[in-house]
Coordinates of all heavy atoms in Angstrom, one line a residue:
M1 N -30.6 -2.3 -58.5 CA -30.1 -1.1 -58.1 C -29.0 -1.5 -57.2 O -28.9 -2.3 -56.3 CB -31.2 -0.4 -57.3 CG -30.6 0.8 -56.5 SD -31.9 1.6 -55.4 CE -32.5 2.8 -56.7
S2 N -27.8 -0.7 -57.5 CA -26.6 -1.0 -56.7 C -26.5 0.0 -55.5 O -27.0 1.1 -55.5 CB -25.3 -0.8 -57.6 OG -25.3 0.6 -58.0
A3 N -26.1 -0.6 -54.4 CA -26.1 0.2 -53.2 C -24.9 1.1 -53.2 O -23.8 0.8 -53.8 CB -26.1 -0.7 -51.9
A4 N -25.0 2.3 -52.6 CA -23.9 3.3 -52.5 C -23.0 3.0 -51.4 O -23.3 2.3 -50.4 CB -24.5 4.7 -52.3
G5 N -21.8 3.4 -51.6 CA -20.8 3.2 -50.6 C -19.9 2.0 -50.6 O -20.1 1.1 -51.5
A6 N -19.2 1.7 -49.6 CA -18.3 0.5 -49.5 C -19.0 -0.5 -48.6 O -19.6 -0.2 -47.7 CB -17.0 1.0 -49.0
P7 N -18.7 -1.7 -49.0 CA -19.1 -2.7 -48.2 C -18.8 -2.6 -46.7 O -17.6 -2.3 -46.4 CB -18.6 -4.1 -48.7 CG -18.4 -3.8 -50.1 CD -18.0 -2.3 -50.1
L8 N -19.7 -2.7 -45.7 CA -19.3 -2.6 -44.4 C -18.2 -3.4 -43.9 O -17.3 -3.0 -43.1 CB -20.6 -2.7 -43.4 CG -20.5 -2.3 -41.9 CD1 -20.0 -0.8 -41.8 CD2 -21.8 -2.6 -41.3
T9 N -18.2 -4.7 -44.4 CA -17.2 -5.6 -44.0 C -15.9 -5.3 -44.5 O -14.9 -5.8 -44.0 CB -17.6 -7.0 -44.5 OG1 -17.8 -7.0 -45.8 CG2 -18.8 -7.5 -43.7
S10 N -15.8 -4.3 -45.5 CA -14.4 -4.0 -46.0 C -13.8 -2.9 -45.2 O -12.6 -2.5 -45.4 CB -14.5 -3.4 -47.5 OG -15.2 -2.2 -47.5
L11 N -14.4 -2.3 -44.2 CA -13.8 -1.2 -43.4 C -12.9 -1.8 -42.4 O -13.1 -2.8 -41.7 CB -14.9 -0.5 -42.6 CG -16.1 0.3 -43.4 CD1 -16.9 0.9 -42.4 CD2 -15.5 1.3 -44.3
T12 N -11.7 -1.3 -42.3 CA -10.6 -1.7 -41.5 C -10.7 -1.0 -40.1 O -10.3 -1.5 -39.1 CB -9.3 -1.4 -42.1 OG1 -9.1 -0.1 -42.4 CG2 -9.1 -2.3 -43.4
A13 N -11.3 0.2 -40.1 CA -11.5 1.0 -38.9 C -12.9 1.5 -38.8 O -13.4 1.9 -39.9 CB -10.6 2.0 -38.7
M14 N -13.6 1.3 -37.8 CA -14.9 1.9 -37.7 C -15.1 3.4 -37.5 O -14.5 3.9 -36.5 CB -15.7 1.2 -36.4 CG -16.0 -0.3 -36.7 SD -16.9 -0.7 -38.1 CE -18.4 0.2 -37.6
P15 N -15.6 4.1 -38.4 CA -15.7 5.6 -38.1 C -16.6 5.9 -36.9 O -17.6 5.2 -36.8 CB -16.4 6.0 -39.4 CG -16.5 5.0 -40.3 CD -16.3 3.7 -39.6
A16 N -16.3 6.8 -36.1 CA -17.1 7.1 -34.9 C -18.5 7.6 -35.4 O -19.5 7.2 -34.7 CB -16.4 8.3 -34.2
A17 N -18.7 8.2 -36.6 CA -19.9 8.6 -37.0 C -21.0 7.5 -37.2 O -22.2 7.8 -37.2 CB -19.8 9.6 -38.2
I18 N -20.5 6.3 -37.4 CA -21.3 5.2 -37.8 C -22.3 4.9 -36.7 O -23.3 4.4 -36.9 CB -20.5 4.0 -38.3 CG1 -21.4 3.1 -39.1 CG2 -20.1 3.2 -37.1 CD1 -20.6 2.0 -39.8
A19 N -21.9 5.3 -35.5 CA -22.8 5.0 -34.3 C -24.1 5.8 -34.4 O -25.1 5.4 -33.8 CB -22.2 5.4 -33.1
S20 N -24.1 6.8 -35.2 CA -25.4 7.7 -35.3 C -26.0 7.6 -36.8 O -26.7 8.5 -37.2 CB -25.1 9.1 -35.1 OG -24.2 9.7 -35.8
A21 N -25.4 6.7 -37.6 CA -25.8 6.6 -39.0 C -27.3 6.2 -39.1 O -27.9 5.4 -38.3 CB -25.0 5.5 -39.8
T22 N -27.9 6.7 -40.2 CA -29.2 6.2 -40.6 C -29.2 4.9 -41.4 O -28.1 4.7 -42.1 CB -29.9 7.3 -41.6 OG1 -29.9 8.6 -40.7 CG2 -31.3 7.0 -42.0
V23 N -30.1 4.2 -41.4 CA -30.2 2.9 -42.1 C -31.3 3.0 -43.2 O -32.5 3.3 -42.8 CB -30.3 1.6 -41.2 CG1 -30.3 0.3 -42.0 CG2 -29.2 1.6 -40.1
Q24 N -30.9 2.6 -44.4 CA -31.9 2.7 -45.5 C -32.0 1.2 -46.1 O -31.1 0.4 -46.1 CB -31.5 3.6 -46.6 CG -31.3 5.0 -46.2 CD -31.0 5.9 -47.3 OE1 -30.5 5.5 -48.4 NE2 -31.1 7.2 -47.2
S25 N -33.2 0.9 -46.7 CA -33.4 -0.2 -47.4 C -32.7 -0.2 -48.8 O -32.3 0.9 -49.1 CB -35.0 -0.5 -47.6 OG -35.5 0.5 -48.6
N26 N -32.9 -1.2 -49.6 CA -32.1 -1.2 -50.9 C -32.8 -0.2 -51.8 O -32.3 0.2 -52.8 CB -32.2 -2.6 -51.4 CG -33.6 -3.2 -51.7 OD1 -34.6 -2.7 -51.3 ND2 -33.5 -4.4 -52.2
S27 N -34.1 0.2 -51.5 CA -34.8 1.2 -52.4 C -34.5 2.6 -51.9 O -35.0 3.6 -52.5 CB -36.3 0.9 -52.4 OG -36.8 1.1 -51.1
G28 N -33.7 2.8 -50.7 CA -33.4 4.1 -50.3 C -34.4 4.6 -49.2 O -34.3 5.7 -48.7
A29 N -35.4 3.8 -48.8 CA -36.4 4.2 -47.7 C -35.6 4.1 -46.4 O -35.0 3.1 -46.2 CB -37.5 3.3 -47.8
V30 N -35.7 5.1 -45.6 CA -35.2 5.1 -44.2 C -35.9 4.1 -43.4 O -37.1 4.3 -43.3 CB -35.2 6.5 -43.6 CG1 -34.6 6.5 -42.1 CG2 -34.2 7.5 -44.4
V31 N -35.3 3.3 -42.8 CA -36.0 2.3 -41.9 C -35.7 2.2 -40.5 O -36.3 1.8 -39.6 CB -35.7 0.8 -42.5 CG1 -36.4 0.5 -43.8 CG2 -34.2 0.5 -42.4
G32 N -34.5 3.0 -40.2 CA -34.2 3.1 -38.8 C -32.8 3.8 -38.6 O -32.3 4.4 -39.5
S33 N -32.3 3.5 -37.5 CA -30.8 4.1 -37.1 C -30.1 3.1 -36.4 O -30.6 2.1 -35.8 CB -31.1 5.3 -36.3 OG -31.7 5.0 -35.1
V34 N -28.7 3.2 -36.5 CA -27.8 2.3 -35.9 C -27.9 2.5 -34.3 O -28.0 3.6 -33.8 CB -26.3 2.7 -36.2 CG1 -25.4 1.9 -35.4 CG2 -26.2 2.3 -37.7
Q35 N -28.1 1.3 -33.8 CA -28.2 1.1 -32.2 C -26.8 0.7 -31.7 O -26.3 1.3 -30.8 CB -29.3 0.1 -31.8 CG -29.4 0.0 -30.4 CD -30.3 1.1 -29.8 OE1 -31.0 1.8 -30.7 NE2 -30.3 1.3 -28.6
K36 N -26.2 -0.2 -32.4 CA -25.0 -0.8 -31.9 C -24.3 -1.5 -33.1 O -25.0 -2.2 -33.8 CB -25.1 -1.8 -30.8 CG -23.9 -2.2 -30.1 CD -24.0 -3.3 -29.2 CE -25.2 -3.4 -28.3 NZ -25.2 -4.5 -27.3
V37 N -22.9 -1.4 -33.2 CA -22.2 -2.2 -34.2 C -21.4 -3.2 -33.4 O -20.6 -2.9 -32.6 CB -21.2 -1.3 -35.0 CG1 -20.5 -2.1 -36.0 CG2 -22.1 -0.2 -35.7
L38 N -21.7 -4.5 -33.8 CA -21.0 -5.6 -33.2 C -19.8 -6.0 -34.1 O -20.0 -6.1 -35.3 CB -21.9 -6.8 -32.9 CG -23.2 -6.4 -32.2 CD1 -24.2 -7.5 -32.3 CD2 -22.9 -6.1 -30.8
T39 N -18.7 -6.3 -33.5 CA -17.5 -6.6 -34.3 C -17.0 -8.0 -34.0 O -17.2 -8.6 -32.8 CB -16.3 -5.7 -34.0 OG1 -16.0 -5.6 -32.6 CG2 -16.7 -4.2 -34.5
G40 N -16.4 -8.7 -34.9 CA -15.8 -10.0 -34.7 C -14.4 -9.9 -34.1 O -14.0 -8.8 -33.7
T41 N -13.8 -11.1 -34.0 CA -12.5 -11.1 -33.2 C -11.4 -10.3 -34.2 O -10.4 -9.8 -33.5 CB -12.0 -12.4 -33.2 OG1 -12.1 -13.1 -34.3 CG2 -12.9 -13.2 -32.1
D42 N -11.7 -10.1 -35.4 CA -10.8 -9.4 -36.2 C -10.9 -7.8 -36.2 O -10.2 -7.1 -36.8 CB -10.9 -9.9 -37.7 CG -12.2 -9.7 -38.3 OD1 -13.1 -9.1 -37.5 OD2 -12.4 -10.1 -39.4
G43 N -11.9 -7.4 -35.4 CA -12.2 -6.0 -35.2 C -13.2 -5.4 -36.4 O -13.5 -4.3 -36.3
K44 N -13.5 -6.3 -37.3 CA -14.3 -5.9 -38.4 C -15.7 -6.0 -37.9 O -16.1 -7.0 -37.2 CB -14.1 -6.6 -39.7 CG -12.7 -6.2 -40.3 CD -12.5 -6.9 -41.6 CE -11.2 -6.4 -42.3 NZ -11.2 -6.8 -43.6
P45 N -16.7 -5.1 -38.5 CA -18.1 -5.3 -38.2 C -18.6 -6.7 -38.6 O -18.3 -7.1 -39.7 CB -18.8 -4.2 -38.9 CG -17.7 -3.5 -39.8 CD -16.4 -4.1 -39.5
S46 N -19.5 -7.3 -37.7 CA -20.1 -8.5 -38.1 C -21.6 -8.4 -38.1 O -22.3 -9.0 -39.0 CB -19.7 -9.6 -37.1 OG -20.1 -9.3 -35.8
M47 N -22.2 -7.6 -37.2 CA -23.6 -7.4 -37.2 C -23.9 -5.9 -36.7 O -23.1 -5.3 -36.0 CB -24.3 -8.3 -36.1 CG -24.2 -9.8 -36.3 SD -25.2 -10.3 -37.7 CE -26.8 -10.3 -37.0
V48 N -25.1 -5.4 -37.1 CA -25.3 -4.1 -36.7 C -26.8 -4.2 -36.2 O -27.7 -4.7 -36.9 CB -25.4 -3.1 -37.9 CG1 -25.9 -1.8 -37.5 CG2 -24.0 -3.0 -38.5
N49 N -27.0 -3.8 -35.0 CA -28.3 -3.7 -34.4 C -28.9 -2.3 -34.8 O -28.3 -1.3 -34.8 CB -28.2 -3.7 -32.8 CG -27.9 -5.1 -32.4 OD1 -27.9 -6.0 -33.1 ND2 -27.7 -5.2 -31.1
V50 N -30.1 -2.5 -35.4 CA -30.8 -1.3 -36.0 C -32.2 -1.0 -35.2 O -32.8 -2.0 -35.1 CB -31.1 -1.5 -37.5 CG1 -31.8 -0.3 -38.1 CG2 -29.8 -1.8 -38.2
A51 N -32.3 0.2 -34.8 CA -33.6 0.6 -34.1 C -34.5 1.0 -35.3 O -34.3 2.1 -35.9 CB -33.4 1.7 -33.1
L52 N -35.5 0.2 -35.4 CA -36.6 0.6 -36.6 C -37.4 1.7 -36.1 O -37.9 1.8 -35.0 CB -37.4 -0.7 -37.0 CG -36.7 -2.0 -37.3 CD1 -37.6 -3.0 -37.6 CD2 -35.7 -1.7 -38.5
T53 N -37.6 2.6 -37.1 CA -38.5 3.8 -36.8 C -39.9 3.5 -36.8 O -40.8 4.2 -36.1 CB -38.2 4.9 -37.8 OG1 -38.4 4.4 -39.1 CG2 -36.9 5.5 -37.6
S54 N -40.4 2.4 -37.5 CA -41.9 2.2 -37.7 C -42.5 1.4 -36.5 O -43.6 1.8 -36.1 CB -42.0 1.4 -38.9 OG -41.6 0.1 -38.8
N55 N -41.7 0.5 -35.9 CA -42.4 -0.3 -34.9 C -41.6 -0.3 -33.6 O -41.7 -1.2 -32.7 CB -42.7 -1.6 -35.3 CG -41.4 -2.4 -35.9 OD1 -40.3 -1.9 -35.7 ND2 -41.6 -3.5 -36.5
K56 N -40.4 0.5 -33.5 CA -39.6 0.5 -32.2 C -38.9 -0.7 -31.9 O -38.5 -1.0 -30.8 CB -40.4 1.1 -31.0 CG -41.2 2.4 -31.2 CD -40.3 3.6 -31.7 CE -41.1 4.8 -31.9 NZ -40.5 5.7 -32.8
K57 N -38.9 -1.7 -32.8 CA -38.1 -3.0 -32.7 C -36.8 -2.7 -33.0 O -36.4 -1.9 -33.8 CB -38.9 -4.0 -33.6 CG -38.3 -5.3 -33.4 CD -39.2 -6.4 -34.1 CE -39.1 -6.3 -35.7 NZ -39.6 -7.4 -36.4
I58 N -35.8 -3.5 -32.4 CA -34.4 -3.5 -32.6 C -34.1 -4.9 -33.4 O -34.3 -5.9 -32.8 CB -33.5 -3.3 -31.4 CG1 -33.7 -1.9 -30.8 CG2 -32.1 -3.5 -31.8 CD1 -33.1 -1.6 -29.5
V59 N -33.6 -4.8 -34.5 CA -33.2 -6.0 -35.3 C -31.7 -6.1 -35.5 O -31.1 -5.0 -35.6 CB -34.0 -6.1 -36.6 CG1 -35.5 -6.2 -36.3 CG2 -33.8 -5.0 -37.6
A60 N -31.2 -7.2 -35.9 CA -29.8 -7.4 -36.1 C -29.7 -7.7 -37.6 O -30.4 -8.5 -38.2 CB -29.1 -8.4 -35.3
I61 N -28.8 -6.9 -38.4 CA -28.7 -7.1 -39.7 C -27.1 -7.5 -39.9 O -26.2 -6.8 -39.3 CB -28.9 -5.9 -40.6 CG1 -30.4 -5.4 -40.4 CG2 -28.6 -6.1 -42.0 CD1 -30.8 -4.2 -41.1
S62 N -26.8 -8.5 -40.6 CA -25.6 -8.9 -40.8 C -24.7 -7.8 -41.6 O -25.3 -7.2 -42.5 CB -25.5 -10.2 -41.7 OG -24.2 -10.5 -42.1
A63 N -23.5 -7.6 -41.2 CA -22.7 -6.6 -41.9 C -22.5 -6.9 -43.4 O -22.3 -6.0 -44.2 CB -21.3 -6.6 -41.2
D64 N -22.7 -8.3 -43.7 CA -22.5 -8.5 -45.2 C -23.7 -7.9 -46.0 O -23.4 -7.9 -47.2 CB -22.6 -10.2 -45.3 CG -21.5 -10.8 -44.7 OD1 -20.3 -10.2 -44.6 OD2 -21.6 -12.0 -44.4
E65 N -24.7 -7.6 -45.3 CA -25.8 -7.0 -46.0 C -25.9 -5.5 -46.1 O -26.9 -4.9 -46.6 CB -27.2 -7.4 -45.3 CG -27.4 -9.0 -45.2 CD -27.9 -9.6 -46.5 OE1 -28.2 -8.8 -47.4 OE2 -27.9 -10.9 -46.5
L66 N -24.8 -4.9 -45.7 CA -24.8 -3.4 -45.5 C -23.7 -2.8 -46.2 O -22.5 -3.2 -46.2 CB -24.7 -3.1 -44.0 CG -26.0 -3.5 -43.1 CD1 -25.6 -3.3 -41.7 CD2 -27.2 -2.6 -43.6
N67 N -23.9 -1.6 -46.8 CA -22.8 -0.8 -47.4 C -22.9 0.5 -46.7 O -24.0 1.0 -46.3 CB -23.1 -0.5 -48.9 CG -22.8 -1.7 -49.8 OD1 -21.8 -2.4 -49.5 ND2 -23.6 -2.0 -50.7
Y68 N -21.7 1.0 -46.4 CA -21.5 2.3 -45.7 C -21.2 3.5 -46.7 O -20.3 3.5 -47.3 CB -20.5 2.2 -44.6 CG -20.4 3.5 -43.7 CD1 -21.6 4.0 -43.2 CD2 -19.2 4.2 -43.6 CE1 -21.4 5.2 -42.3 CE2 -19.1 5.3 -42.8 CZ -20.2 5.8 -42.1 OH -20.1 6.9 -41.5
D69 N -22.1 4.5 -46.7 CA -21.9 5.8 -47.4 C -21.3 6.8 -46.5 O -22.2 7.4 -45.8 CB -23.0 6.2 -48.2 CG -22.9 7.4 -49.1 OD1 -21.9 8.1 -48.9 OD2 -23.6 7.6 -50.0
A70 N -20.1 7.0 -46.3 CA -19.5 7.8 -45.3 C -19.9 9.4 -45.6 O -20.1 10.2 -44.7 CB -17.9 7.8 -45.4
S71 N -20.0 9.8 -46.9 CA -20.3 11.1 -47.2 C -21.7 11.6 -46.7 O -22.1 12.7 -46.4 CB -20.4 11.3 -48.7 OG -21.3 10.7 -49.5
R72 N -22.7 10.5 -46.5 CA -24.1 10.8 -46.0 C -24.3 10.2 -44.7 O -25.3 10.4 -44.2 CB -25.0 10.3 -47.1 CG -25.0 11.0 -48.4 CD -26.0 10.4 -49.3 NE -26.1 9.0 -49.5 CZ -27.2 8.3 -49.5 NH1 -28.3 8.7 -49.3 NH2 -27.1 6.9 -49.6
N73 N -23.4 9.5 -44.2 CA -23.3 8.8 -42.9 C -24.6 7.9 -42.9 O -25.5 7.9 -42.1 CB -23.3 9.7 -41.6 CG -23.1 8.9 -40.4 OD1 -22.4 7.9 -40.4 ND2 -23.7 9.3 -39.3
V74 N -24.6 7.1 -43.9 CA -25.8 6.2 -44.1 C -25.3 4.7 -44.4 O -24.5 4.6 -45.1 CB -26.6 6.7 -45.4 CG1 -27.7 5.7 -45.7 CG2 -27.3 8.1 -45.1
L75 N -26.0 3.8 -43.7 CA -25.9 2.4 -44.0 C -27.0 1.9 -45.0 O -28.2 2.1 -44.6 CB -25.9 1.5 -42.8 CG -24.7 1.6 -41.9 CD1 -25.0 0.8 -40.6 CD2 -23.5 1.0 -42.6
V76 N -26.7 1.4 -46.2 CA -27.6 0.9 -47.1 C -27.6 -0.6 -47.1 O -26.6 -1.2 -47.4 CB -27.3 1.5 -48.5 CG1 -28.4 1.0 -49.5 CG2 -27.2 3.0 -48.5
A77 N -28.8 -1.1 -46.8 CA -29.0 -2.5 -46.8 C -29.3 -3.1 -48.1 O -29.9 -2.5 -49.0 CB -30.1 -3.0 -45.9
S78 N -28.9 -4.4 -48.3 CA -29.2 -5.1 -49.6 C -30.5 -5.7 -49.5 O -31.1 -6.4 -50.4 CB -28.2 -6.1 -49.9 OG -28.1 -7.1 -48.9
L79 N -31.3 -5.5 -48.3 CA -32.6 -6.0 -48.2 C -33.6 -5.0 -48.4 O -33.4 -3.8 -48.3 CB -32.7 -6.4 -46.6 CG -31.7 -7.3 -46.1 CD1 -31.7 -7.4 -44.6 CD2 -31.7 -8.7 -46.7
T80 N -34.9 -5.5 -48.7 CA -36.0 -4.6 -48.9 C -36.6 -4.1 -47.4 O -36.2 -4.7 -46.5 CB -37.2 -5.2 -49.6 OG1 -37.7 -6.3 -48.7 CG2 -36.8 -5.8 -50.9
A81 N -37.3 -3.0 -47.4 CA -37.8 -2.6 -46.2 C -38.7 -3.7 -45.6 O -38.6 -3.9 -44.3 CB -38.7 -1.3 -46.4
E82 N -39.4 -4.4 -46.3 CA -40.3 -5.5 -45.8 C -39.5 -6.6 -45.1 O -39.8 -7.1 -44.1 CB -41.1 -6.1 -46.9 CG -42.2 -5.1 -47.4 CD -41.7 -4.1 -48.4 OE1 -40.6 -4.3 -49.0 OE2 -42.3 -3.0 -48.4
Q83 N -38.3 -6.9 -45.8 CA -37.4 -7.9 -45.2 C -36.9 -7.5 -43.9 O -36.8 -8.3 -43.0 CB -36.3 -8.3 -46.2 CG -36.8 -9.0 -47.4 CD -35.6 -9.2 -48.5 OE1 -35.0 -8.3 -48.7 NE2 -35.5 -10.4 -49.1
I84 N -36.5 -6.3 -43.8 CA -35.9 -5.7 -42.6 C -36.9 -5.7 -41.4 O -36.7 -6.1 -40.3 CB -35.3 -4.3 -42.9 CG1 -34.1 -4.4 -43.8 CG2 -34.9 -3.6 -41.5 CD1 -33.7 -3.1 -44.3
M85 N -38.1 -5.2 -41.8 CA -39.3 -5.1 -40.9 C -39.6 -6.6 -40.3 O -40.0 -6.7 -39.1 CB -40.5 -4.5 -41.4 CG -40.2 -3.1 -41.9 SD -39.7 -2.0 -40.5 CE -39.3 -0.6 -41.5
S86 N -39.4 -7.5 -41.2 CA -39.8 -8.8 -40.6 C -38.7 -9.6 -40.0 O -38.9 -10.8 -39.4 CB -40.2 -9.7 -41.9 OG -39.1 -10.0 -42.8
L87 N -37.5 -9.1 -39.8 CA -36.5 -9.7 -39.0 C -36.9 -9.8 -37.5 O -37.6 -9.0 -37.0 CB -35.2 -8.9 -39.1 CG -34.5 -8.8 -40.4 CD1 -33.4 -7.8 -40.4 CD2 -33.9 -10.3 -40.7
P88 N -36.5 -10.9 -36.8 CA -36.8 -10.9 -35.5 C -36.2 -9.9 -34.6 O -35.1 -9.6 -34.9 CB -36.4 -12.4 -35.1 CG -35.4 -12.7 -36.1 CD -35.6 -11.9 -37.3
A89 N -36.8 -9.5 -33.6 CA -36.2 -8.7 -32.6 C -35.1 -9.2 -32.0 O -35.1 -10.4 -31.6 CB -37.3 -8.2 -31.5
T90 N -34.0 -8.4 -31.7 CA -32.8 -9.0 -31.0 C -32.9 -8.6 -29.6 O -33.6 -7.6 -29.2 CB -31.5 -8.3 -31.6 OG1 -30.4 -8.9 -31.0 CG2 -31.5 -6.7 -31.5
S91 N -32.2 -9.4 -28.7 CA -32.3 -9.0 -27.3 C -31.2 -8.0 -26.8 O -31.3 -7.7 -25.6 CB -32.0 -10.4 -26.5 OG -30.8 -10.9 -26.9
S92 N -30.3 -7.7 -27.6 CA -29.2 -6.8 -27.3 C -29.5 -5.4 -27.7 O -30.1 -5.2 -28.7 CB -27.8 -7.3 -27.6 OG -27.8 -7.5 -29.0

């Protein structure tokens, strides 16, 4: 299944709405919401901290693993829900 939207790393400017975006697994299941978008020195997104809805854990997902669908304000991960849930909690 191909993820909708543009690769997050291809965005040249961060849309303000992304701060409140929903995060979905590769199957379309909602797994959480954006907590924080971390950018590299080039200003492009590098990591996204996601607050998971199931266990209240915050995990970091590489921007390489995410596509942004601006029309729905959704980040779609290339990971399964199980892979996302098993990511270690982040301290930030």
Side-chain angles (χ1 to χ4, degrees):
M1 169 182 274
S2 65
L8 188 57
T9 53
S10 72
L11 297 181
T12 53
M14 292 301 299
I18 205 167
S20 62
T22 301
V23 180
Q24 295 180 346
S25 69
N26 61 359
S27 66
V30 174
V31 294
S33 59
V34 172
Q35 183 79 16
K36 184 189 329 181
V37 178
L38 306 169
T39 56
T41 54
D42 59 1
K44 291 189 176 190
S46 58
M47 295 290 284
V48 176
N49 287 352
V50 178
L52 302 181
T53 52
S54 65
N55 58 11
K56 307 302 179 208
K57 181 169 75 169
I58 297 175
V59 299
I61 301 177
S62 171
D64 294 334
E65 302 282 353
L66 297 164
N67 287 319
Y68 182 56
D69 182 344
S71 65
R72 297 183 303 137
N73 195 33
V74 171
L75 286 172
V76 181
S78 61
L79 306 168
T80 66
E82 292 76 24
Q83 288 171 316
I84 295 169
M85 299 300 169
S86 68
L87 290 170
T90 183
S91 57
S92 55

